Amino acid sequence: MTSTDDHPPHRRYAEIRAAALADLAAFERLSRAEVPGFQFELLGRQLAHAFANSPYYRENWAKEYGDLRPASAEELRELPFTTKRDLRAAYPFGLLAVGREELIRYGESTGTTGSPTSSMITYEDWIRGNVAVEQSVGHLFGPGDLVFIAIPYELAFASYDLDRALEQGGAAVVPVGTLSLVCPFERMVEMMWTVRPTGLVCTPSRALRLYDMLKETGRDPAEIGLKTFLYVGETCSQAKLEKIANLWGVRLSNAYGSTETNSLALVCAHGGLHLTEDRHLFEVIDPATTEPVPDGTAGELVITALSGRATPLLRYRSGDFVTIGTESCSCGSPRRTVRHHGRVSEQLTVGGRRINKLALEQTVLATPGAGLYWAAGVSGPGLEIRVEADGADPAVLCAAVTARVEAEFGVPASVAPIDRAQVRRAMDRMLKPGSLTIEDLEAVS
């Protein structure tokens, strides 16, 4: 009789899936106090694998840290950081820690902030991650649901991950993508009106844009019957989320990940965004000093992969500004929850003061009379802000925003109405329209 070990992983889907489900269930039975022990046991094996098989870690880390097997967060901090610069220097295969015959997925970053980085996944890790996503979205979508996935499919993992997870849960998928010549936004809007999806997966800003486009054609978006909006690929303020939920009349959910790691946090049925602590070890540091911050304090997320064999990232500085929750979720999971506050690089520095762009968005869009769109930048000693008036007197709104921003952040602000036509032109050429800036608007003026 032939052993299942004699078959390559892609021939053992049912076996890998069953093991993944069992391991997920076992992790959920752990207490919070037991999680670190579980993680550091996996970390020891992962370090040995990375130092022996990844060219980058073997050549740069193994000599000095090859015998290190951390058993605590303090000991883990003896290791240096892996940075985006390191990933770019190792492009494309410098981090690869398995033979190419084991790869099932290869992807690259968009390169919008510099030269691209590469990411690779083995079949078993791909299926394990996909099963976790399936368990998360299963309370959102199922048989009878038709879901538009309007995020990039090219060189990406998240779109295919969600695609497969929805399929496994019995939902029908419409892979419309984004910024596509085959399915531009105009066609997507026509399809939404004709096909009537119950679910939409895209960035929050894209959901606003699609709503606008439907209204511009004289249609009522509520007639589509959209029920659930799963937002990914972009952070946004509570004020913006409330506008989206109210406009579309939908329930909201989200997921968080990156090109380098795939999914990092997934939502439970109680709405908690839980870190994938069975597959990653997370730290939060002060981005300026790199020192750890107290629990519940915002800082930069640092990620160590515990099980990814293809590209075993160690202490990777994600560039994401987050807060990891200190309270238990009502779902009972031992996984901690996380709130994502945007990119560290997107903070605005005015007169030596750092302003979180998401906090600024909350202040601007929560101002009574504010519409859907806004943009900001730094101009001399203060902030330059443009905002849309929703039926209000633009001059009155701009004065109110100015007063609120200056009171909240202690810096001068110059606020003017935004040109919605300019916003449309800028957004329709951006992969991540939530990062809209004054410079983006001027580029299409």
Side-chain angles (χ1 to χ4, degrees):
M1 182 176 178
T2 303
S3 168
T4 56
D5 291 338
D6 295 332
H7 296 293
H10 65 279
R11 300 295 187 188
R12 295 189 284 115
Y13 172 76
E15 174 192 339
I16 294 170
R17 174 182 167 81
L21 288 168
D23 288 346
L24 281 170
F27 187 89
E28 291 298 324
R29 290 193 293 270
L30 296 178
S31 68
R32 181 63 223 167
E34 293 174 313
V35 170
F38 171 91
Q39 291 179 317
F40 282 104
E41 182 178 346
L42 288 181
L43 177 61
R45 296 198 290 268
Q46 185 76 329
L47 288 175
H49 171 64
F51 292 155
N53 299 301
S54 166
Y56 172 79
Y57 290 116
R58 185 174 62 241
E59 294 165 11
N60 295 286
W61 289 30
K63 184 176 181 180
E64 185 171 355
Y65 306 104
D67 295 328
L68 185 65
R69 296 295 180 269
S72 66
E74 292 74 18
E75 292 178 5
L76 176 62
R77 289 196 287 272
E78 294 180 33
L79 290 171
F81 295 108
T82 303
T83 66
K84 180 77 79 170
R85 179 181 297 179
D86 297 326
L87 268 57
R88 287 171 176 148
Y91 175 87
F93 296 114
L95 281 165
L96 182 61
V98 298
R100 292 200 198 185
E101 71 279 2
E102 292 194 50
L103 295 183
I104 202 70
R105 291 274 168 183
Y106 174 95
E108 293 192 2
S109 63
T110 58
T112 53
T113 60
S115 56
T117 61
S118 57
S119 296
M120 290 146 279
I121 302 179
T122 64
Y123 184 79
E124 183 166 353
D125 287 331
W126 172 244
I127 296 304
R128 283 181 168 273
N130 188 247
V131 167
V133 175
E134 175 193 331
Q135 295 299 294
S136 173
V137 301
H139 67 275
L140 300 173
F141 306 106
D145 282 312
L146 192 68
V147 185
F148 274 43
I149 299 183
I151 55 177
Y153 272 75
E154 302 89 346
L155 297 177
F157 293 149
S159 47
Y160 289 100
D161 207 7
L162 284 162
D163 191 307
R164 289 176 61 101
L166 290 168
E167 177 185 285
Q168 285 295 317
V173 173
V174 185
V176 292
T178 193
L179 294 185
S180 166
L181 292 176
V182 174
C183 188
F185 297 127
E186 292 79 8
R187 181 175 181 181
M188 194 186 309
V189 165
E190 292 300 320
M191 287 181 65
M192 290 184 75
W193 185 253
T194 304
V195 177
R196 304 294 170 102
T198 56
L200 175 64
V201 179
C202 65
T203 65
S205 295
R206 197 73 73 202
L208 288 177
R209 183 72 181 100
L210 292 171
Y211 180 92
D212 265 357
M213 293 178 75
L214 281 161
K215 293 288 286 186
E216 288 162 10
T217 60
R219 294 157 172 165
D220 180 2
E223 293 184 26
I224 288 177
L226 196 66
K227 297 177 181 177
T228 305
F229 171 46
L230 174 63
Y231 63 94
V232 296
E234 176 186 301
T235 53
C236 68
S237 64
Q238 187 61 35
K240 189 172 184 178
L241 289 175
E242 288 174 0
K243 290 176 185 292
I244 294 170
N246 291 334
L247 286 172
W248 279 102
V250 294
R251 62 174 173 172
L252 300 177
S253 189
N254 66 323
Y256 164 47
S258 72
T259 301
E260 295 82 10
T261 61
N262 213 14
S263 58
L264 291 171
L266 299 166
V267 171
C268 71
H270 293 244
L273 184 60
H274 290 270
L275 291 165
T276 54
E277 293 189 281
D278 57 323
R279 292 182 284 129
H280 302 97
L281 193 154
F282 299 96
E283 307 168 72
V284 182
I285 63 170
D286 183 310
T289 67
T290 72
E291 291 299 313
V293 301
D295 290 346
T297 303
E300 182 180 356
L301 188 67
V302 176
I303 305 159
T304 295
L306 297 175
S307 58
R309 294 185 65 253
T311 48
L313 289 178
L314 306 176
R315 299 202 77 206
Y316 174 59
R317 292 188 63 171
S318 68
D320 288 335
F321 203 57
V322 307
T323 301
I324 292 181
T326 57
E327 300 296 324
S328 298
C329 179
S330 55
C331 73
S333 175
R335 305 167 197 270
R336 294 173 296 173
T337 57
V338 65
R339 285 184 291 125
H340 189 191
H341 310 298
R343 299 286 293 171
V344 173
S345 60
E346 288 183 345
Q347 294 186 88
L348 302 172
T349 303
V350 184
R353 183 190 297 263
R354 291 195 311 181
I355 297 175
N356 181 272
K357 194 173 179 184
L358 212 59
L360 181 61
E361 177 179 274
Q362 175 67 25
T363 299
V364 172
L365 294 186
T367 302
L372 306 178
Y373 300 113
W374 78 293
V378 178
S379 179
L383 289 168
E384 181 180 358
I385 298 171
R386 297 181 191 171
V387 62
E388 177 188 38
D390 183 17
D393 183 322
V396 173
L397 171 65
C398 290
V401 170
T402 300
R404 288 170 66 108
V405 168
E406 291 183 347
E408 180 74 22
F409 300 101
V411 298
S414 173
V415 184
I418 203 166
D419 181 346
R420 182 176 274 209
Q422 202 174 20
V423 171
R424 293 169 186 154
R425 292 195 299 273
M427 286 182 64
D428 289 354
R429 59 188 240 169
M430 297 175 69
L431 274 174
K432 299 179 180 179
S435 60
L436 185 71
T437 66
I438 298 292
E439 290 77 13
D440 294 320
L441 294 176
E442 291 175 345
V444 296
S445 60

mmCIF file of all heavy atoms in Angstrom, residues 43 67 126 163 175 184 211 224 241 262-263 267 289 299 306 310 374 396 403 435 442:
data_model
loop_
_atom_site.group_PDB
_atom_site.id
_atom_site.type_symbol
_atom_site.label_atom_id
_atom_site.label_comp_id
_atom_site.label_asym_id
_atom_site.label_seq_id
_atom_site.Cartn_x
_atom_site.Cartn_y
_atom_site.Cartn_z
ATOM 1 N N LEU A 43 8.687 28.589 17.074
ATOM 2 C CA LEU A 43 9.736 29.522 16.671
ATOM 3 C C LEU A 43 11.098 28.835 16.622
ATOM 4 O O LEU A 43 11.893 29.103 15.712
ATOM 5 C CB LEU A 43 9.785 30.706 17.631
ATOM 6 C CG LEU A 43 10.888 31.730 17.362
ATOM 7 C CD1 LEU A 43 10.716 32.366 15.985
ATOM 8 C CD2 LEU A 43 10.906 32.798 18.447
ATOM 9 N N ASP A 67 22.619 29.826 17.017
ATOM 10 C CA ASP A 67 22.311 28.974 18.173
ATOM 11 C C ASP A 67 21.221 29.552 19.063
ATOM 12 O O ASP A 67 20.849 28.941 20.069
ATOM 13 C CB ASP A 67 23.581 28.767 19.007
ATOM 14 C CG ASP A 67 24.644 27.992 18.248
ATOM 15 O OD1 ASP A 67 24.272 27.134 17.416
ATOM 16 O OD2 ASP A 67 25.839 28.242 18.482
ATOM 17 N N TRP A 126 -0.264 27.366 1.945
ATOM 18 C CA TRP A 126 -1.343 28.038 1.224
ATOM 19 C C TRP A 126 -2.700 27.504 1.663
ATOM 20 O O TRP A 126 -3.617 28.261 1.968
ATOM 21 C CB TRP A 126 -1.140 27.847 -0.274
ATOM 22 C CG TRP A 126 -2.251 28.322 -1.160
ATOM 23 C CD1 TRP A 126 -3.036 27.548 -1.971
ATOM 24 C CD2 TRP A 126 -2.697 29.675 -1.367
ATOM 25 N NE1 TRP A 126 -3.940 28.336 -2.656
ATOM 26 C CE2 TRP A 126 -3.746 29.644 -2.309
ATOM 27 C CE3 TRP A 126 -2.297 30.904 -0.843
ATOM 28 C CZ2 TRP A 126 -4.425 30.789 -2.737
ATOM 29 C CZ3 TRP A 126 -2.969 32.052 -1.265
ATOM 30 C CH2 TRP A 126 -4.013 31.977 -2.208
ATOM 31 N N ASP A 163 -11.211 34.269 -2.682
ATOM 32 C CA ASP A 163 -11.931 33.586 -3.755
ATOM 33 C C ASP A 163 -12.152 32.120 -3.383
ATOM 34 O O ASP A 163 -13.284 31.598 -3.410
ATOM 35 C CB ASP A 163 -11.119 33.715 -5.046
ATOM 36 C CG ASP A 163 -11.866 33.295 -6.293
ATOM 37 O OD1 ASP A 163 -12.392 32.178 -6.324
ATOM 38 O OD2 ASP A 163 -11.881 34.091 -7.254
ATOM 39 N N PRO A 175 -15.185 37.469 -9.974
ATOM 40 C CA PRO A 175 -13.836 38.029 -9.844
ATOM 41 C C PRO A 175 -13.629 39.253 -10.733
ATOM 42 O O PRO A 175 -12.961 39.182 -11.771
ATOM 43 C CB PRO A 175 -12.946 36.859 -10.262
ATOM 44 C CG PRO A 175 -13.757 36.127 -11.280
ATOM 45 C CD PRO A 175 -15.194 36.277 -10.858
ATOM 46 N N PRO A 184 -13.464 47.451 -16.327
ATOM 47 C CA PRO A 184 -13.297 48.779 -15.725
ATOM 48 C C PRO A 184 -14.473 49.088 -14.807
ATOM 49 O O PRO A 184 -15.487 48.379 -14.796
ATOM 50 C CB PRO A 184 -13.264 49.706 -16.941
ATOM 51 C CG PRO A 184 -13.982 48.963 -18.006
ATOM 52 C CD PRO A 184 -13.697 47.516 -17.770
ATOM 53 N N TYR A 211 -20.653 53.415 -5.223
ATOM 54 C CA TYR A 211 -21.950 53.986 -4.835
ATOM 55 C C TYR A 211 -22.220 55.259 -5.634
ATOM 56 O O TYR A 211 -23.319 55.440 -6.183
ATOM 57 C CB TYR A 211 -21.953 54.275 -3.339
ATOM 58 C CG TYR A 211 -23.248 54.872 -2.832
ATOM 59 C CD1 TYR A 211 -24.254 54.049 -2.352
ATOM 60 C CD2 TYR A 211 -23.459 56.245 -2.835
ATOM 61 C CE1 TYR A 211 -25.460 54.580 -1.893
ATOM 62 C CE2 TYR A 211 -24.651 56.789 -2.385
ATOM 63 C CZ TYR A 211 -25.642 55.956 -1.911
ATOM 64 O OH TYR A 211 -26.827 56.486 -1.466
ATOM 65 N N ILE A 224 -29.977 47.204 -5.405
ATOM 66 C CA ILE A 224 -29.106 46.064 -5.734
ATOM 67 C C ILE A 224 -29.298 44.937 -4.724
ATOM 68 O O ILE A 224 -29.234 43.749 -5.066
ATOM 69 C CB ILE A 224 -27.633 46.515 -5.781
ATOM 70 C CG1 ILE A 224 -27.412 47.370 -7.031
ATOM 71 C CG2 ILE A 224 -26.671 45.324 -5.772
ATOM 72 C CD1 ILE A 224 -26.024 47.940 -7.152
ATOM 73 N N LEU A 241 -16.450 54.603 7.836
ATOM 74 C CA LEU A 241 -17.150 53.318 7.827
ATOM 75 C C LEU A 241 -18.647 53.513 8.054
ATOM 76 O O LEU A 241 -19.472 52.842 7.417
ATOM 77 C CB LEU A 241 -16.572 52.399 8.895
ATOM 78 C CG LEU A 241 -15.168 51.852 8.640
ATOM 79 C CD1 LEU A 241 -14.688 51.049 9.838
ATOM 80 C CD2 LEU A 241 -15.140 50.985 7.385
ATOM 81 N N ASN A 262 0.439 37.327 3.632
ATOM 82 C CA ASN A 262 -0.967 36.989 3.424
ATOM 83 C C ASN A 262 -1.763 37.385 4.668
ATOM 84 O O ASN A 262 -1.459 38.390 5.286
ATOM 85 C CB ASN A 262 -1.132 35.515 3.051
ATOM 86 C CG ASN A 262 -2.297 35.310 2.100
ATOM 87 O OD1 ASN A 262 -2.820 36.249 1.510
ATOM 88 N ND2 ASN A 262 -2.730 34.079 1.936
ATOM 89 N N SER A 263 -2.752 36.612 5.093
ATOM 90 C CA SER A 263 -3.637 37.071 6.165
ATOM 91 C C SER A 263 -2.900 37.164 7.504
ATOM 92 O O SER A 263 -2.135 36.280 7.879
ATOM 93 C CB SER A 263 -4.849 36.144 6.299
ATOM 94 O OG SER A 263 -4.446 34.813 6.544
ATOM 95 N N VAL A 267 -11.714 38.163 11.070
ATOM 96 C CA VAL A 267 -12.836 38.523 11.935
ATOM 97 C C VAL A 267 -13.596 37.288 12.410
ATOM 98 O O VAL A 267 -13.839 36.360 11.647
ATOM 99 C CB VAL A 267 -13.789 39.473 11.186
ATOM 100 C CG1 VAL A 267 -15.077 39.694 11.966
ATOM 101 C CG2 VAL A 267 -13.120 40.819 10.967
ATOM 102 N N THR A 289 12.055 54.625 18.180
ATOM 103 C CA THR A 289 13.106 54.078 19.053
ATOM 104 C C THR A 289 13.309 52.577 18.869
ATOM 105 O O THR A 289 14.324 52.038 19.309
ATOM 106 C CB THR A 289 12.766 54.348 20.520
ATOM 107 O OG1 THR A 289 11.602 53.585 20.891
ATOM 108 C CG2 THR A 289 12.497 55.833 20.748
ATOM 109 N N GLY A 299 1.631 51.345 18.031
ATOM 110 C CA GLY A 299 3.014 51.293 17.573
ATOM 111 C C GLY A 299 3.103 50.515 16.270
ATOM 112 O O GLY A 299 2.084 50.131 15.684
ATOM 113 N N LEU A 306 5.773 31.798 12.016
ATOM 114 C CA LEU A 306 6.053 30.607 12.807
ATOM 115 C C LEU A 306 5.955 29.319 11.996
ATOM 116 O O LEU A 306 6.456 28.290 12.431
ATOM 117 C CB LEU A 306 5.073 30.524 13.984
ATOM 118 C CG LEU A 306 5.148 31.668 14.998
ATOM 119 C CD1 LEU A 306 4.042 31.516 16.033
ATOM 120 C CD2 LEU A 306 6.513 31.696 15.670
ATOM 121 N N ALA A 310 8.250 28.665 2.981
ATOM 122 C CA ALA A 310 8.874 29.210 1.770
ATOM 123 C C ALA A 310 9.678 30.472 2.066
ATOM 124 O O ALA A 310 10.842 30.595 1.667
ATOM 125 C CB ALA A 310 7.810 29.491 0.714
ATOM 126 N N TRP A 374 -12.210 63.553 1.126
ATOM 127 C CA TRP A 374 -11.326 64.548 1.706
ATOM 128 C C TRP A 374 -9.899 64.211 1.285
ATOM 129 O O TRP A 374 -9.610 63.105 0.790
ATOM 130 C CB TRP A 374 -11.447 64.555 3.232
ATOM 131 C CG TRP A 374 -10.690 63.415 3.877
ATOM 132 C CD1 TRP A 374 -10.973 62.078 3.788
ATOM 133 C CD2 TRP A 374 -9.503 63.519 4.654
ATOM 134 N NE1 TRP A 374 -10.047 61.334 4.478
ATOM 135 C CE2 TRP A 374 -9.130 62.201 5.026
ATOM 136 C CE3 TRP A 374 -8.726 64.593 5.096
ATOM 137 C CZ2 TRP A 374 -8.002 61.931 5.805
ATOM 138 C CZ3 TRP A 374 -7.611 64.325 5.879
ATOM 139 C CH2 TRP A 374 -7.264 63.008 6.220
ATOM 140 N N VAL A 396 -19.140 77.382 5.577
ATOM 141 C CA VAL A 396 -19.412 77.065 6.984
ATOM 142 C C VAL A 396 -18.727 75.762 7.379
ATOM 143 O O VAL A 396 -18.136 75.647 8.464
ATOM 144 C CB VAL A 396 -20.935 76.979 7.222
ATOM 145 C CG1 VAL A 396 -21.227 76.477 8.636
ATOM 146 C CG2 VAL A 396 -21.584 78.336 6.992
ATOM 147 N N ALA A 403 -11.642 74.735 12.703
ATOM 148 C CA ALA A 403 -11.686 74.871 14.157
ATOM 149 C C ALA A 403 -11.456 73.531 14.855
ATOM 150 O O ALA A 403 -10.703 73.446 15.840
ATOM 151 C CB ALA A 403 -13.035 75.465 14.575
ATOM 152 N N SER A 435 -5.438 56.406 0.252
ATOM 153 C CA SER A 435 -4.262 57.213 0.560
ATOM 154 C C SER A 435 -4.244 58.518 -0.221
ATOM 155 O O SER A 435 -3.195 59.145 -0.379
ATOM 156 C CB SER A 435 -2.983 56.408 0.263
ATOM 157 O OG SER A 435 -2.931 56.034 -1.107
ATOM 158 N N GLU A 442 -3.658 67.287 -7.332
ATOM 159 C CA GLU A 442 -2.972 68.235 -8.231
ATOM 160 C C GLU A 442 -2.448 67.542 -9.477
ATOM 161 O O GLU A 442 -2.352 68.157 -10.539
ATOM 162 C CB GLU A 442 -1.846 68.907 -7.465
ATOM 163 C CG GLU A 442 -2.352 69.862 -6.367
ATOM 164 C CD GLU A 442 -1.239 70.442 -5.518
ATOM 165 O OE1 GLU A 442 -0.113 69.895 -5.580
ATOM 166 O OE2 GLU A 442 -1.500 71.430 -4.801
#
